[in-house]
Amino acid sequence: MSYASALVRRLTVTALACSACLTVLVPGPPARAFSGGNHEKITRAALKWEPASLAAMADSRDGAIVADDQGTSFDLGILHCDNADYLAPRLAAGYPRTRDDATTELLACIRGSVARLRAAVRYADGLVDAGGKVIARESDLGTPCTWNGRSRRAKCDVLEQLGRGWHPIEDFYSHGNWSDRAGAGPLGVSNPPGLNRTGIAPFFDIRRYSSMSDADWTREAAGKVPEDLATGCYPDFDSTGVKPADCAGRIQHTGTLNKDTEVARRSANGNFRRAAELAARDIARQWKDFAAELVATYPENRRGEQMVCALTHDAPVSGCR
C-alpha cells in the first residue's frame, strides 16, 4: 500500500473515532490559543462588515468566532489545531510522535473547517427567497444569536458555522510554528524550529476541499505539509478520542509554542505579530472564498449575491436590493 493510500485509510478511521469522542467530553482547562480579544482583533481586521453583523461574528465574549472556546469545545483538540507536534530525528531521536501522527491531527483540524463551510452553504439557502429577496425573520439580529446549533434563524446559523470553521484556522497560526522564528540556542523539544513562512498556509484551501471527496483532499493537503511543521501538544482530546495526562517529552503548547498573547514566551522575535497578521489574511481569504461559493451555488435571481449582502449588512431587507 502506498504512503498516500495508507494515510488516507488511517484518516478515515480517525474521523470515525473522533465523531465518537465528541460524546465523551468532560469539563477541563481550555485549549488556550489567541485570547478572545485577539480573536476579535484578527477577525475585525479581516472582515469589512457593518457593525452589528461584525460584532455577532467577532465579539470577544459572545461572537461566533469564540464559540469554540466555550463549554466542552475547549477540550477537543481538533477545534484548536492542537497536538500536531513533531520533531524530525535530526533534532530529537525517538520523538514519541511520527510525522504521520502529526499530519493526521492537522488534517482532522482542517476537516472540521471543511464540514463547517459545507453546512454554512446549506444554511444560507434560508436567507433569501426564490425570487432573490432577503427574508426579514431569517436575517434579523434584533436579538442575540445563540451558538448552540438551534438558533432557528438562517443568519445566526451561517455565522455559527463560519465562526466555528474559522476559529481553528486562527488558532493554527497561534499554536503552530508556521510563521515563527525559533529562539536562541539549540533546537529541540523546548525550542522547536520555526518555519518563518510569510504566506498563508496552502492546506487551508477550505472552499476547494469542500468540493472534493475526503480521500482526495486529504491526500492533496497532506502533500503540502512541511516536514518540520508542528503545533503544540495540549492535554485535551486528540482526533482519536484520547486525552493524554500530560505532554511530557513532546513540544508543549503551554510555555513553548503558543503565541496566545504578546507576552507569551514564543511571541518574541516578532512571532506574535506575524501569527496575527497571517491569521487575519487567512480569514479574509476564507470569507472571500465563501462569498464566491454562495454566488456560484445560488446563481438564480442573484440569490447568492443577496445572501452575501444579508450576512454583511445590519438591515439587509432595506439595504440589499
Side-chain angles (χ1 to χ4, degrees):
M1 181 181 294
S2 69
Y3 165 78
S5 297
L7 181 57
V8 168
R9 180 178 179 182
R10 178 180 177 185
L11 289 168
T12 301
V13 173
T14 294
L16 294 174
C18 192
S19 297
C21 86
L22 285 167
T23 65
V24 298
L25 295 177
V26 294
R32 300 292 185 189
F34 283 121
S35 67
N38 286 319
H39 273 296
E40 177 168 349
K41 290 176 183 177
I42 289 164
T43 308
R44 286 184 177 275
L47 305 175
K48 307 305 178 186
W49 298 2
E50 291 190 348
S53 299
L54 183 55
M57 171 58 76
D59 185 80
S60 63
R61 295 168 298 177
D62 301 317
I65 197 64
V66 294
D68 277 351
D69 278 342
Q70 311 298 327
T72 55
S73 294
F74 270 145
D75 281 329
L76 192 56
I78 59 173
L79 301 185
H80 311 279
C81 274
D82 290 336
N83 304 316
D85 55 293
Y86 172 70
L87 275 178
R90 73 180 193 282
L91 300 174
Y95 191 78
R97 303 268 286 183
T98 67
R99 177 67 264 168
D100 282 1
D101 292 333
T103 298
T104 295
E105 293 303 315
L106 178 63
L107 294 177
C109 174
I110 297 169
R111 183 179 294 107
S113 295
V114 172
R116 294 294 185 181
L117 183 143
R118 289 170 175 164
V121 171
R122 294 194 302 271
Y123 283 125
D125 190 31
L127 283 167
V128 177
D129 67 21
K133 293 184 178 180
V134 175
I135 301 172
R137 66 179 181 278
E138 297 294 342
S139 59
D140 176 58
L141 289 179
T143 57
C145 297
T146 55
W147 314 122
N148 58 10
R150 300 186 297 274
S151 78
R152 301 183 185 280
R153 279 176 288 166
K155 184 165 182 172
C156 294
D157 292 335
V158 174
L159 293 181
E160 179 170 7
Q161 296 302 315
L162 292 179
R164 290 187 183 274
W166 293 347
H167 182 97
I169 296 173
E170 292 186 8
D171 279 1
F172 165 80
Y173 293 99
S174 173
H175 282 189
N177 65 345
W178 178 259
S179 59
D180 284 5
R181 295 172 184 160
L187 299 178
V189 172
S190 61
N191 185 31
L195 300 184
N196 197 23
R197 299 297 178 95
T198 58
I200 55 179
F203 40 76
F204 281 114
D205 198 352
I206 305 303
R207 182 194 179 197
R208 171 175 161 76
Y209 294 165
S210 71
S211 67
M212 300 168 65
S213 71
D214 284 350
D216 286 343
W217 78 252
T218 52
R219 184 181 297 107
E220 178 178 304
K224 296 180 179 180
V225 176
E227 172 68 10
D228 287 332
L229 180 68
T231 71
C233 174
Y234 192 93
D236 51 17
F237 287 92
D238 66 17
S239 69
T240 66
V242 173
K243 183 178 174 69
D246 56 46
C247 294
R250 296 169 60 181
I251 298 171
Q252 297 196 26
H253 164 91
T254 304
T256 299
L257 200 51
N258 82 81
K259 294 161 289 293
D260 304 347
T261 67
E262 293 180 81
V263 298
R265 174 185 169 191
R266 189 75 173 193
S267 291
N269 297 325
N271 289 339
F272 176 88
R273 174 183 55 79
R274 285 191 298 277
E277 288 175 353
L278 286 184
R281 284 173 55 188
D282 211 334
I283 297 309
R285 182 257 298 255
Q286 301 301 331
W287 167 243
K288 180 180 178 181
D289 284 354
F290 177 71
E293 183 64 22
L294 291 184
V295 172
T297 302
Y298 302 105
E300 58 284 342
N301 295 318
R302 299 178 53 248
R303 292 187 72 228
E305 295 175 37
Q306 291 290 82
M307 292 170 192
V308 173
C309 186
L311 292 170
T312 59
H313 285 63
D314 294 345
V317 172
S318 59
C320 299
R321 300 289 186 180

